[in-house]
Amino acid sequence: MHLVIQGAAVAERDLEQLSQLSGARQVLRLSPGVCRLIGAQQRPGIAEYCARARLDFGFVPEERKLADMELLVIDMDSTLITIECIDEIADMAGVRAEVSAITAAAMSGEIDYAESLRLRVGLLQGLDEGALARVYDERLRLSPGAETMLAAMQRAGVKTLLVSGGFSFFTERLKTRLGLDYSISNVLNIEDGRLTGRVIGGIVDAEAKAAKLRSVRDELGLATARVIAIGDGANDLAMMAEAGVSIAYRAKPVARGKADYTLDYVGLDGVLNLFAGN
């Protein structure tokens, strides 16, 4: 196994300590913030040390390469992008506090996602549809490292699927902007230029995300081991369980404990360092 250590910067003293803790036989410094410890062993104390030092870590098989992966599935809100779109829309409707509280409960698994979405969208009834464009133009930002990660995935021939319990207004624009291959999300009902407080069709919840992953995976004829899934909340767990490599990015506790890897301190480009030969 290789132990990948990542952070804003990896100090020499931290590298020495982690090398000793893991029994690594060789240390490779790939950049000031990325190191790979060869021949490391999963021993007690490594996770705790990294948490104190504000470093991300991951044990990866030495033979795993990005070239072996063929599908990347990524959540949108608070994962590919830095915001929760519905919270920003709610801000423009004057109901941010109410909507944000429901969002937080849904992401931590305290409330059923479909029910939470109905409640939140209902609070947006009557809002001018122009608020959606304002959120996209004024507030939506990609997460750090997102474009670097996606460019590397695309160079490697990895197909990309954007999954979201959010809204198609945003996913379709990001799909076009970033050259993504597939997407799934909810469609807001709009009449006479205003939100009705309802969505059109079925709600994209945890199972719908997982089902879309399976559908694309099967369409491409891929083995589960060739799929990467990245998410941050409870409604991402089902799709993450369908992937060969699951990554929790800046995630809620409920997702952190179920993922193969957790990235708290580096950007999405940190995903690339979990694979050799990227």
Side-chain angles (χ1 to χ4, degrees):
M1 298 290 281
H2 291 185
L3 173 57
V4 176
I5 304 296
Q6 306 187 68
V10 182
E12 284 299 328
R13 65 180 180 278
D14 292 330
L15 198 53
E16 291 173 5
Q17 288 294 318
L18 288 166
S19 179
Q20 291 179 11
L21 280 171
S22 66
R25 65 175 184 269
Q26 183 183 0
V27 176
L28 299 179
R29 180 177 283 280
L30 305 179
S31 74
V34 183
C35 299
R36 187 174 278 255
L37 279 60
I38 311 301
Q41 300 175 46
Q42 300 186 43
R43 292 176 173 174
I46 293 173
E48 293 78 6
Y49 188 97
C50 288
R52 291 193 300 271
R54 297 182 62 80
L55 296 171
D56 291 320
F57 76 97
F59 284 92
V60 301
E62 65 178 351
E63 70 276 5
R64 180 188 288 156
K65 297 178 174 59
L66 191 59
D68 297 329
M69 312 309 293
E70 296 190 63
L71 176 63
L72 169 70
V73 185
I74 185 167
D75 174 52
M76 180 177 71
D77 294 284
S78 297
T79 307
L80 180 63
I81 62 176
T82 61
I83 63 171
E84 291 284 335
C85 289
I86 194 168
D87 291 357
E88 302 303 324
I89 299 168
D91 190 34
M92 296 186 179
V95 292
R96 184 183 186 111
E98 297 95 317
V99 167
S100 293
I102 300 171
T103 299
M107 292 302 97
S108 63
E110 298 171 22
I111 182 174
D112 175 71
Y113 186 82
E115 178 61 21
S116 81
L117 189 71
R118 292 188 191 96
L119 291 171
R120 288 177 289 168
V121 171
L123 290 168
L124 305 177
Q125 183 177 1
L127 181 66
D128 189 288
E129 65 177 326
L132 303 178
R134 287 185 57 200
V135 169
Y136 185 85
D137 294 336
E138 299 172 12
R139 303 190 181 187
L140 187 148
R141 299 291 181 271
L142 296 175
S143 291
E147 289 177 293
T148 298
M149 178 196 69
L150 289 172
M153 293 285 176
Q154 290 162 343
R155 284 195 304 271
V158 177
K159 297 294 185 180
T160 49
L161 163 61
L162 178 60
V163 294
S164 178
F167 307 119
S168 59
F169 183 93
F170 304 100
T171 56
E172 290 308 302
R173 282 162 174 76
L174 288 169
K175 181 182 176 185
T176 299
R177 171 180 166 185
L178 300 171
L180 307 179
D181 297 294
Y182 308 90
S183 67
I184 184 173
S185 54
N186 296 294
V187 180
L188 285 168
N189 184 242
I190 298 173
E191 295 179 0
D192 299 323
R194 295 191 177 275
L195 277 63
T196 66
R198 302 187 303 275
V199 296
I200 298 172
I203 288 178
V204 177
D205 58 7
E207 180 48 39
K209 287 184 176 186
K212 183 64 174 180
L213 182 156
R214 291 192 296 269
S215 173
V216 173
R217 184 187 65 197
D218 294 347
E219 174 189 329
L220 297 174
L222 306 181
T224 297
R226 294 183 177 273
V227 180
I228 307 166
I230 308 173
D232 76 306
N235 67 327
D236 296 317
L237 293 179
M239 69 137 182
M240 290 165 69
E242 295 282 353
V245 178
S246 60
I247 301 167
Y249 178 74
R250 311 283 172 96
K252 316 303 183 290
V254 68
R256 292 168 53 86
K258 299 291 180 64
D260 296 322
Y261 304 104
T262 298
L263 297 180
D264 291 324
Y265 307 111
V266 298
L268 283 172
D269 51 337
V271 170
L272 301 174
N273 296 315
L274 301 174
F275 301 87
N278 61 72

